[in-house]
Amino acid sequence: GAGVSQTPSNKVTEKGKYVELRCDPISGHTALYWYRQSLGQGPEFLIYFQGTGAADDSGLPNDRFFAVRPEGSVSTLKIQRTERGDSAVYLCASSPGTSGGSDTQYFGPGTRLTVL
Amino acid sequence: QKEVEQDPGPLSVPEGAIVSLNCTYSNSAFQYFMWYRQYSRKGPELLMYTYSSGNKEDGRFTAQVDKSSKYISLFIRDSQPSDSATYLCATLPGGTSYGKLTFGQGTILTVHP
């Protein structure tokens, strides 16, 4: 069956540009998460959606980062005025949303963002 | 200090060896403990999931949690070259209504034939 997909797989941009990263969760999963994984580090939580609403955005590093999930399925992570420090792999995960924190999260392959 | 600490390795072992991977954590509120495996250029995939203290076994994999010492372990028996990957421990507080995972930095494991 189809897992979580993310596009693009790689994105190279210049400092100061705007980027959008897309996540297609597993069909029927109501919970969606974004994480950021820097080189040699574990993933760090960015934001959690339950349905269409961002229930916890405490991990977003600053106001240049924003995410939406308008119809409760696909989500887009948006980064304005990119900086070299934003270079990382951005991971999306989804879960059924039926068992709270104990739900298994299924991760996508990530988008590798490089800011030159 | 990070809430979850993990020795990044790298760790290199011969095929058939027993592998021990470890994490420590500082937050007493953590009640759920997971191990993820991440192959190169792939997303993490869940290997083991444990609630509170104790052992859990699944095939060649055993997860141990010792809450008194805040120590998490993953043992891999009869390791195979296909086990070569980065292993990430992750935790969640108890009573949480969603999965805001806190990860260790990952241990890179290579199993050579």
Side-chain angles (χ1 to χ4, degrees), chain B residues 5-42:
Chain B
E5 296 278 357
Q6 184 175 4
D7 184 344
L11 189 59
S12 181
V13 301
E15 184 175 355
I18 296 174
V19 176
S20 172
L21 304 167
N22 309 291
C23 290
T24 58
Y25 64 94
S26 57
N27 189 342
S28 299
F30 289 143
Q31 295 282 346
Y32 298 93
F33 305 93
M34 288 138 277
W35 284 94
Y36 282 82
R37 179 174 61 195
Q38 186 175 25
Y39 291 114
S40 181
R41 302 215 170 231
K42 301 288 187 184

Side-chain angles (χ1 to χ4, degrees), chain A residues 10 33 35 37 40-45 48 55-56 58-59 91 99-110 112, chain B residues 2 8 32 34 36 38 40-46 49 86 88 92 96-106 108:
Chain A
N10 285 283
Y33 303 82
Y35 293 84
Q37 187 172 24
Q41 301 297 314
E44 292 182 317
F45 170 85
Y48 157 65
D56 184 346
S58 62
L91 294 164
S99 301
S102 59
D103 262 357
T104 297
Q105 294 184 34
Y106 297 87
F107 283 81
R112 185 174 299 269
Chain B
K2 295 192 175 197
Y32 298 93
M34 288 138 277
Y36 282 82
Q38 186 175 25
S40 181
R41 302 215 170 231
K42 301 288 187 184
E45 58 175 331
L46 183 65
Y49 195 122
T86 297
L88 297 153
L92 269 178
T96 186
S97 62
Y98 60 99
K100 184 178 178 180
L101 296 173
T102 300
F103 284 89
Q105 55 261 59
I108 300 170

Side-chain angles (χ1 to χ4, degrees), chain A residues 11 33-34 40 45 60 67 69 77 91 95 99 104-105 111 115:
Chain A
K11 176 71 178 178
Y33 303 82
W34 284 98
F45 170 85
L60 295 178
R69 194 185 185 199
L77 179 64
L91 294 164
S95 70
S99 301
T104 297
Q105 294 184 34
T111 293
V115 181

Side-chain angles (χ1 to χ4, degrees), chain A residues 62-97:
Chain A
N62 51 59
D63 61 5
R64 296 186 297 105
F65 288 75
F66 189 71
V68 295
R69 194 185 185 199
E71 297 178 358
S73 178
V74 170
S75 176
T76 304
L77 179 64
K78 308 180 181 197
I79 310 174
Q80 297 178 323
R81 304 183 304 281
T82 51
E83 299 177 357
R84 292 193 181 89
D86 298 334
S87 296
V89 175
Y90 289 81
L91 294 164
C92 176
S94 71
S95 70

